[in-house]
Amino acid sequence: MSERSASPCVPTVRVTEPNPVPSRLGVFRSGDGLDVSVVARGASGVDMCIFDEAGAETRFALIGPHTGIWHGHIPGFGAGTRYGFRVHGPWDPDGGKFYNSHKLLLDPYGRGVDGVVDMKPGVYAHCVDEDLYPSEYPLRRSPIDSAAYMPRSVVVEPSFPIEPQPHTPWETTVIYEIHVKGFTKNMPGVPPQLRGTYAGLAHPASVSYLKDLGVTAVELLPVHAKCDEPFLTERGLTNYWGYSTLSFFAPEPSYATEASRERGAQAVVDEFRGMVSLLHQAGIEVILDVVYNHTAEGNHMGPTLSFRGIDNPSYYRLVDGDRQHYFDTTGTGNSLLMSSPQVLQLIMDSLRYWVTEMHVDGFRFDLASTLARQFAEVDRLSAFFDLIHQDPVVSQVKLIAEPWDVGSDGYQVGGFPPLWSEWNGRYRDTVRDFWRGEFSSLPDFASRLAGSSDLYGSTGRKPMASINFITAHDGFTLRDLVSYNEKHNEANLEGGADGANDNRSWNCGVEGDTDDEEIIELRYRQQRNFLTTLIFSQGVPMIAHGDELGRTQRGNNNAYCQDNELSWINWDLDEHDYKLLRFTRDLIHLRRDHPVMRRRRFLEGPARRGGESSLGEIEWFTPAGTHMTEEEWNQPWARSTMVFYNGEAIREPDANGRRILDDDFLLLINAAPEAVDFTLPDANYGHIWHTVVDTAGDDDHKDYQSGDVVHVGPRTAFILRNPRGL
């Protein structure tokens, strides 16, 4: 069944046809008005609906379709225009078609969003009951007009220049994963009206903190305009993390200041761009966590907000032989159709927009394995990768994959092509297991520490392909990782069914809070052990915001819906937290000052014939100071080792073409529950060793000579430095 007019009382105006047909999709100011272009291949008609300040609607019937595109020129309108689309066509749920012109739809290319979705029955294309479940089967088209419950797309334009991108080399990059709101919501020094906003993140207090810590890039949890899922709304919760995209071009309005929101979508965009500019001015890059694998419309019973109502079969992957339902590899109800030229164009246009107009420095792709599913399997030769690699804009920024999804064969750590870096899940799991005392082979741990050449070397990639992390937004915080054996997600109101059950955590003897000073000290020592391993590892380190100062979510390992004190950083620090913060800052600065800790190529073990050093670039010793034998490497109970970084063996030139000479370093690791004595290697590896890191927290750093015995306490790590000559 097809339909044409939803509300005869609202007249529809015929638009003029621009000459030529618009070359880009979306709505843009042109001459005396707006050029409009939207893809709706199966539609019988498309109306652009423009709303005045009083909310009155005027409809303009677009011309088309020309190769699936509906377009037109509408004179008399410009920047600030609030609009949406109504799409006419057949109602055929079994065929995956849910056209319903009673529903106002957001522009997939809209640069600004004004308002929020009011999750009422009216925003559903099919008839639903008060609980938002289908009220009839087969699904029947809803006659309710959704305009009263829907936000509007808004025409916006860039309005000022942005500071140039820092272009920080991968090898000197330190990533700080951050939530725009949670970072500054309680931050001292940030004015109350700016806290939890883009402007708050760009405030001098925030920028000064980031610079002092030593991070070079902030990786923002999703800032695309979002929509809360109905089941969260019912529980009085929100999608705090934002992995529920409503618009791939518009920044999330709720992260803007109240003043910007009151001025409208243009002011929200300006505030975001101002944040980027001020961070660039401080030398800090901005990486966006982007969700191009699914949208906020959920499964076939979800609301119709944009894509589903415009061209459902072209945007979403449908089940073969059952096209009412979605083929979902994301766990959210739907997956975008990566074999669709329309979807690929949308993603590429969005990425280019955020680089060229919003001037961000890179992207972290959520559930990136789904993006590689051109058909059923994950394909490293998919069209998505081809488009990224050949694009002269997107290929030049930092590209990070979350290399897994929930579909078959979705775990693809090490499986992405050159040009990409990856969240190294193998690194996270191995390092967690090693320090908590569970089974983790020493060779596997050694490989993670040395840059994971077993994962990335065979495809021609470098250590920078490995984004090393211990914790991220998804899971325990670093403090909770050493304080809880089990998740405690009661606040999510899902009966404990959400969040991972396998956390590779250890509570150090007591679950949760304790007054036991020995356990408290052990927990902070374990946090320092994790941070020391992270910073000493080859690759790119990533720290989750607040981990450097003991942030806790009280055992909640899935705080995606907790927009409250549970997720926001608590800046009221005690002595232990201040000490951890200083320790983390000193570690990051140590890495910054010493190139041997951030090599641009994989380390080589034995010295090469004719090399400038008689020592290997990296060498591994037993606590007795002897080289590891094959038998010692493969002892499953081995928890102690000593690692040598040869500062003289760095052969890459610096930016000026000069050969770099660095200090030598020894990392002494004792993950065992008892103390271990380490004998330092002979004088070939350095005469004098200064203690620069002691995770036991001893501020009295000692000096040692070759052959000395260093007493390393239980679950403790040392870094020793032999001055050679930077």
Side-chain angles (χ1 to χ4, degrees):
M1 183 178 72
S2 185
E3 45 91 57
R4 172 56 197 163
S5 178
S7 302
C9 59
V10 179
T12 302
V13 180
R14 304 298 294 184
V15 301
T16 59
E17 183 167 8
N19 188 21
V21 175
S23 60
R24 54 181 177 170
L25 297 172
V27 179
F28 303 94
R29 191 171 62 172
S30 177
D32 64 345
L34 300 173
D35 279 349
V36 184
S37 177
V38 60
V39 177
R41 300 186 188 283
S44 59
V46 177
D47 299 333
M48 180 174 179
C49 308
I50 293 179
F51 296 84
D52 63 19
E53 293 184 0
E57 176 183 355
T58 302
R59 299 180 186 175
F60 299 86
L62 301 180
I63 299 166
H66 294 287
T67 63
I69 297 176
W70 298 80
H71 67 281
H73 179 78
I74 304 175
F77 296 94
T81 299
R82 300 165 67 249
Y83 70 98
F85 294 117
R86 295 182 185 272
V87 181
H88 309 265
W91 180 259
D92 180 18
D94 290 340
K97 298 178 180 180
F98 296 92
Y99 295 107
N100 186 342
S101 61
H102 296 290
K103 309 304 167 182
L104 183 72
L105 306 172
L106 288 176
D107 180 4
Y109 279 75
R111 267 56 169 174
V113 170
D114 180 30
V116 297
V117 176
D118 186 1
M119 201 61 69
K120 296 292 176 58
V123 300
Y124 287 75
H126 56 279
C127 295
V128 298
D129 58 25
E130 293 182 356
D131 295 322
L132 306 181
Y133 289 101
S135 58
E136 298 182 39
Y137 286 98
L139 299 179
R140 184 169 69 88
R141 182 156 45 196
S142 167
I144 304 173
D145 192 294
S146 69
Y149 312 104
M150 283 291 294
R152 312 295 190 241
S153 296
V154 184
V155 179
V156 299
E157 297 178 330
S159 54
F160 55 85
I162 292 180
E163 286 286 325
Q165 296 164 313
H167 294 295
T168 306
W170 265 122
E171 64 269 18
T172 57
T173 296
V174 178
I175 298 174
Y176 192 68
E177 190 195 30
I178 194 170
H179 190 285
V180 168
K181 183 174 185 179
F183 180 66
T184 63
K185 184 62 178 177
N186 295 320
M187 191 176 199
V190 176
Q193 68 273 19
L194 301 185
R195 292 181 178 179
T197 68
Y198 302 124
L201 181 53
H203 186 271
S206 301
V207 174
S208 176
Y209 177 85
L210 296 170
K211 290 286 290 182
D212 183 61
L213 185 60
V215 299
T216 68
V218 289
E219 183 175 300
L220 307 183
L221 265 69
V223 294
H224 287 165
K226 62 178 181 174
C227 176
D228 295 329
E229 292 88 340
F231 74 90
L232 290 178
T233 304
E234 291 173 8
R235 299 170 185 165
L237 301 171
T238 63
N239 192 318
Y240 170 69
W241 286 350
Y243 291 92
S244 185
T245 305
L246 186 65
S247 170
F248 292 114
F249 290 82
E252 168 56 32
S254 68
Y255 297 153
T257 59
E258 182 178 358
S260 291
R261 296 197 304 271
E262 288 178 351
R263 291 198 302 272
Q266 181 68 59
V268 171
V269 171
D270 289 346
E271 185 176 323
F272 181 92
R273 298 178 80 249
M275 173 197 71
V276 173
S277 189
L278 288 170
L279 288 169
H280 282 179
Q281 191 176 79
I284 298 172
E285 294 185 311
V286 178
I287 298 171
L288 300 189
D289 191 336
V290 289
V291 189
Y292 291 113
N293 54 75
H294 73 278
T295 77
E297 292 186 302
N299 63 21
H300 68 288
M301 296 190 296
T304 294
L305 311 173
S306 179
F307 309 94
R308 192 199 315 276
I310 292 175
D311 200 1
N312 186 61
S314 293
Y315 280 111
Y316 293 116
R317 188 169 181 186
L318 308 180
V319 176
D320 292 338
D322 183 15
R323 295 178 65 78
Q324 177 175 302
H325 296 94
Y326 295 104
F327 187 95
D328 177 23
T329 58
T330 67
T332 64
N334 65 62
S335 301
L336 287 178
L337 181 62
M338 296 307 298
S339 61
S340 165
Q342 182 174 326
V343 169
L344 293 172
Q345 181 180 357
L346 172 76
I347 294 174
M348 294 306 301
D349 287 347
S350 172
L351 292 170
R352 280 190 290 265
Y353 171 75
W354 286 96
V355 175
T356 59
E357 301 294 347
M358 308 297 259
H359 291 259
V360 304
D361 304 275
F363 304 95
R364 178 265 187 188
F365 293 81
D366 177 66
L367 299 181
S369 290
T370 290
L371 302 178
R373 291 182 185 273
Q374 187 167 349
F375 301 104
E377 69 284 351
V378 179
D379 184 0
R380 71 179 65 185
L381 300 177
S382 72
F384 173 70
F385 291 132
D386 291 341
L387 289 172
I388 292 285
H389 289 194
Q390 62 79 40
D391 190 271
V393 173
V394 181
S395 65
Q396 300 305 304
V397 301
K398 289 182 167 69
L399 302 171
I400 303 170
E402 182 185 33
W404 50 77
D405 63 14
V406 301
S408 175
D409 298 321
Y411 192 77
Q412 292 288 319
V413 173
F416 279 67
L419 194 67
W420 287 79
S421 294
E422 303 174 13
W423 272 24
N424 191 342
R426 290 267 308 267
Y427 180 96
R428 172 200 60 204
D429 296 345
T430 299
V431 174
R432 285 187 180 192
D433 283 346
F434 185 82
W435 278 110
R436 72 184 176 124
E438 293 295 323
F439 177 77
S440 175
S441 73
L442 195 55
D444 194 22
F445 177 79
S447 181
R448 304 304 143 238
L449 194 78
S452 296
S453 62
D454 58 326
L455 297 177
Y456 306 112
S458 62
T459 56
R461 290 192 279 174
K462 305 298 183 183
M464 292 79 74
S466 180
I467 305 297
N468 300 329
F469 69 107
I470 308 297
T471 61
H473 67 276
D474 189 2
F476 282 145
T477 67
L478 187 61
R479 178 170 176 172
D480 290 354
L481 185 69
V482 300
S483 304
Y484 295 90
N485 285 348
E486 308 294 337
K487 64 185 181 183
H488 297 269
N489 297 359
E490 294 79 10
N492 297 352
L493 305 180
E494 297 185 39
D498 67 301
N501 294 314
D502 179 18
N503 296 285
R504 289 180 156 90
S505 61
W506 177 48
N507 63 18
C508 297
V510 174
E511 188 76 354
D513 291 340
T514 181
D515 294 327
D516 189 316
E517 285 297 329
E518 288 188 7
I519 292 178
I520 291 173
E521 194 282 327
L522 173 58
R523 288 175 175 177
Y524 276 96
R525 188 163 77 248
Q526 284 287 77
Q527 292 175 73
R528 292 191 288 268
N529 288 334
F530 281 123
L531 289 166
T532 298
T533 305
L534 178 68
I535 295 302
F536 199 82
S537 297
Q538 301 297 327
V540 180
M542 184 185 79
I543 299 171
H545 80 188
D547 275 356
E548 75 280 9
L549 40 77
R551 186 175 80 88
T552 178
Q553 293 175 169
R554 303 199 177 280
N556 192 318
N557 73 349
N558 189 35
Y560 76 104
C561 56
Q562 299 299 321
D563 186 4
N564 50 50
E565 301 284 347
L566 190 70
S567 292
W568 306 336
I569 289 182
N570 177 9
W571 294 93
D572 184 15
L573 309 182
D574 62 20
E575 181 181 352
H576 289 293
D577 299 329
Y578 275 118
K579 190 173 182 179
L580 183 62
L581 174 58
R582 291 194 299 269
F583 181 87
T584 308
R585 179 194 60 206
D586 291 346
L587 270 177
I588 295 174
H589 288 194
L590 183 68
R591 182 184 188 275
R592 177 197 64 192
D593 295 339
H594 292 282
V596 73
M597 294 188 182
R598 42 182 173 81
R599 300 291 298 272
R600 289 185 290 174
R601 58 172 177 76
F602 290 113
L603 295 157
E604 296 177 358
R608 297 197 302 180
R609 187 181 301 276
E612 296 176 359
S613 171
S614 60
L615 307 176
E617 295 177 345
I618 182 172
E619 299 195 19
W620 297 81
F621 297 91
T622 68
T626 59
H627 282 95
M628 298 283 291
T629 66
E630 192 68 25
E631 180 181 357
E632 289 165 332
W633 267 116
N634 293 305
Q635 290 176 344
W637 58 86
R639 309 243 57 86
S640 303
T641 189
M642 184 162 42
V643 190
F644 171 73
Y645 277 177
N646 185 354
E648 189 181 14
I650 298 180
R651 289 189 292 276
E652 307 108 329
D654 65 13
N656 298 314
R658 297 173 300 189
R659 177 175 170 270
I660 299 172
L661 182 66
D662 198 357
D663 297 340
D664 301 325
F665 285 89
L666 279 173
L667 173 64
L668 282 58
I669 296 177
N670 178 26
E674 60 280 332
V676 172
D677 288 335
F678 285 78
T679 300
L680 299 185
D682 62 46
N684 287 329
Y685 295 91
H687 292 278
I688 302 296
W689 293 96
H690 304 292
T691 303
V692 291
V693 172
D694 174 2
T695 65
D698 187 355
D699 293 329
D700 183 19
H701 289 178
K702 300 178 181 178
D703 291 342
Y704 300 93
Q705 295 184 1
S706 59
D708 282 355
V709 174
V710 181
H711 184 77
V712 180
R715 297 187 173 95
T716 299
F718 278 39
I719 297 179
L720 308 181
R721 178 174 62 89
N722 172 47
R724 189 186 286 272
L726 263 188

